[in-house]
Amino acid sequence: METIKLDISKTGIAVSAEMQAKAQAANALLESGKGAGNDFLGWVHLPSSISAAEIEAIEKQAAKLREKAEVIICIGIGGSYLGAKAVLEAMSDPFRFLHKEQTAPVVLFAGQNISEDYTYELLEAVKEHSIATIVISKSGTTTEPAIAFRLIKAEIEKRYGKKEAAERIVAITDKARGALKTLATNEGYPTFVIPDDVGGRFSVLTPVGLLPLAAAGVDIAALVRGAQEMERATADGTPFGQNPAAVYAAVRNELYNGGKKVEILGSYEPKLQYINEWWKQLYGESEGKQGKGIFPASVTLTADLHSMGQYIQDGERTLFETIISVAKPAHEVVIEAEAENLDGLNFLAGKRISEVNRMAKLGVQLAHVDGGVPNIRIEIPAIDAHAIGSLLYFFEKACGISGYILGVNPFDQPGVEAYKKNMFALLDKPGYEEASKAIKARL
Ligand SMILES: O=P(O)(O)OC[C@H]1O[C@](O)(CO)[C@@H](O)[C@@H]1O
């Protein structure tokens, strides 16, 4: 099976022997389980530990939901949302909703915001359709999904009654703790467990990602196989130059040390837009701490060349770019010749759109490199479940290595608590009385 290829030749960086050694040591530390945050290393060998029975159990549950519902609402935020959303968008026809025949249920997302309009419009849109929900929260206490779940649970119970609701609601949460676990036990919902040692942003290959994806018809076995291959390709003991995760982690740290503080992840396939969003959480929460860390940003090209292109080419020289390039499109569209040629495009006649896209990609790469924006290229053979599985694990492994090179604990996220405390104080949550007074005085 073809795998992903990493090209760092346009970064202008030769990874120093010292950085190579750091990357190798970081990988060894990850795999030894002795580094910072080592209670959250369950993802390292997760792909190879997923059994056929687990995949089967997930597919069985997914089939039940597919039978019952035209629309499956996936509730979650952050790592309990982005992985499923990213893979689903990558694997889906963006115009699927317009097809007269729907072969799989529509999977929608909720609980990833607190927008009243989003919530209202979602509930309105599903009125005419049969529904089920997968509610996902590792902590089981996150406010955004908890609000969405309260509303969607009420809608399901109103429509189908309590007994049937327990057939249409699946919970994915901690094995023992949290309000969602208690609720699921009391109500008798089928439940899948997020392992204790897998943090939210590393959880896409647990039921958190796999159940919604299976429900949407994604080949989760192929996704996992792709990740397993990348687990092997990035194992401790692999020579530096043959380990793409170590090389990517090392190069981005070299760039960071040389003043490149912002990494822009981009691709020329709009389907990969949510892979960018998933990646931003992965790297942002893992590395952005103690006043350190590359800021993860993203673009979708060529669209954003017409909005962000000017800045990337010409603005502050603190950027580098990482492009996910897809070797083979799934479909073929050829540009035809036109007798009048009023648009002057006949020079493209006979060419496939992908050829034009490829030339745009090569042209942009050189323009940005000339403008002082180093360029890393990650090439995947195609957008399919296997390649996406490899890509996900590649980014996870590189993230762990990179965080250790940077000298942070890549597996905590203490900074996320600050907004929660303020929000609870402003909403007069019991227990926040003092904080409420203090924060309201500042408004
Ligand atoms: O699955 P949970 O516990 O609801 O958390 C969702 C997300 O919220 C965070 O804890 C940050 O608020 C993320 O790390 C996590 O992915």
Side-chain angles (χ1 to χ4, degrees):
M1 213 24 126
E2 269 187 274
T3 181
I4 72 174
K5 292 181 193 147
L6 182 69
D7 179 358
I8 60 163
S9 63
K10 299 284 189 295
T11 58
I13 293 281
V15 180
S16 66
E18 192 194 343
M19 185 59 84
Q20 292 192 22
K22 276 190 188 171
Q24 292 296 78
N27 197 22
L29 190 60
L30 266 183
E31 300 226 6
S32 72
K34 293 189 180 141
N38 58 359
D39 341 349
F40 288 99
L41 292 175
W43 60 272
V44 175
H45 296 296
L46 178 67
S48 58
S49 68
I50 300 172
S51 67
E54 278 170 279
I55 300 269
E56 203 185 307
I58 290 170
E59 276 173 344
K60 228 171 160 182
Q61 183 61 62
K64 274 193 195 162
L65 294 176
R66 287 161 71 98
E67 242 169 59
K68 286 189 177 285
E70 292 163 309
V71 179
I72 297 173
I73 305 167
C74 250
I75 302 174
I77 196 166
S80 293
Y81 153 64
L82 285 163
K85 173 78 175 169
V87 180
L88 181 63
E89 291 299 317
M91 299 300 302
S92 301
D93 173 347
F95 308 108
R96 60 195 178 280
F97 302 131
L98 292 178
H99 291 185
K100 292 237 160 64
E101 292 253 316
Q102 294 289 330
T103 50
V106 172
V107 174
L108 300 177
F109 293 88
Q112 80 281 39
N113 58 56
I114 332 176
S115 161
E116 190 158 351
D117 287 348
Y118 183 97
T119 312
Y120 176 88
E121 285 163 9
L122 173 70
L123 290 169
E124 280 297 301
V126 299
K127 273 205 166 129
E128 312 269 292
H129 300 278
S130 53
I131 55 172
T133 191
I134 302 171
V135 54
I136 309 171
S137 177
K138 179 157 195 236
S139 62
T141 55
T142 307
T143 310
E144 291 90 335
I147 293 172
F149 183 53
R150 182 179 274 217
L151 294 164
I152 289 161
K153 173 176 172 280
E155 174 69 17
I156 291 180
E157 287 178 353
K158 188 175 83 189
R159 280 202 214 176
Y160 306 104
K162 272 222 166 228
K163 189 159 171 270
E164 176 62 13
E167 301 284 319
R168 289 174 182 263
I169 298 175
V170 180
I172 306 181
T173 189
D174 186 83
K175 68 175 184 312
R177 279 166 305 186
L180 180 58
K181 173 64 192 166
T182 312
L183 208 148
T185 309
N186 290 351
E187 305 280 350
Y189 301 150
T191 303
F192 288 83
V193 170
I194 310 174
D196 274 347
D197 57 358
V198 179
R201 59 189 174 272
F202 290 87
S203 70
V204 57
L205 297 166
T206 71
V208 169
L210 298 181
L211 181 61
L213 291 169
V218 172
D219 181 352
I220 58 167
L223 189 81
V224 169
R225 273 198 304 279
Q228 286 169 345
E229 275 174 30
M230 190 50 69
E231 181 187 327
R232 285 194 293 275
T234 60
D236 179 29
T238 309
F240 175 77
Q242 290 167 31
N243 182 340
V247 175
Y248 174 54
V251 172
R252 57 199 299 287
N253 274 281
E254 291 275 21
L255 289 164
Y256 179 65
N257 294 341
K260 301 295 184 190
K261 307 289 184 197
V262 178
E263 178 176 10
I264 304 175
L265 186 71
S267 95
Y268 287 73
E269 293 298 336
K271 281 181 171 192
L272 298 183
Q273 191 177 342
Y274 270 89
I275 296 281
N276 296 347
E277 300 305 318
W278 170 83
W279 171 89
K280 284 197 271 193
Q281 185 202 5
L282 183 65
Y283 281 78
E285 275 193 356
S286 298
E287 294 195 315
K289 49 197 71 160
Q290 296 167 228
K292 299 198 266 192
I294 295 169
F295 182 81
S298 69
V299 287
T300 297
L301 304 172
T302 59
D304 290 341
L305 292 173
H306 300 266
S307 61
M308 295 299 288
Q310 172 61 37
Y311 190 103
I312 298 171
Q313 190 67 46
D314 240 1
E316 283 261 9
R317 298 300 71 192
T318 50
L319 316 174
F320 69 98
E321 234 173 359
T322 298
I323 297 297
I324 303 174
S325 177
V326 181
K328 202 167 174 295
H331 306 287
E332 190 173 323
V333 180
V334 176
I335 301 164
E336 291 184 354
E338 208 183 67
E340 289 191 53
N341 193 29
L342 286 179
D343 56 10
L345 277 188
N346 270 356
F347 73 101
L348 296 178
K351 289 197 188 336
R352 288 178 63 175
I353 300 245
S354 55
E355 178 65 358
V356 183
N357 207 18
R358 199 167 75 84
M359 291 310 145
K361 189 162 49 188
L362 293 173
V364 170
Q365 183 187 50
L366 292 178
H368 287 180
V369 168
D370 292 346
V373 180
N375 188 289
I376 299 172
R377 178 183 297 162
I378 298 163
E379 186 181 276
I380 59 173
I383 303 181
D384 59 27
H386 184 277
I388 297 292
S390 286
L391 184 68
L392 297 174
Y393 188 83
F394 159 79
F395 275 135
E396 289 181 354
K397 192 65 180 292
C399 182
I401 297 173
S402 187
Y404 277 171
I405 296 175
L406 184 66
V408 297
N409 173 359
F411 308 113
D412 65 2
Q413 55 285 330
V416 186
E417 295 312 309
Y419 100 88
K420 294 182 187 171
K421 280 189 199 134
N422 285 354
M423 181 176 75
F424 292 145
L426 288 167
L427 286 166
D428 298 313
K429 185 172 176 174
Y432 285 76
E433 292 74 11
E434 281 309 305
S436 289
K437 267 190 239 151
I439 197 165
K440 285 180 183 167
R442 290 175 57 200
L443 290 179

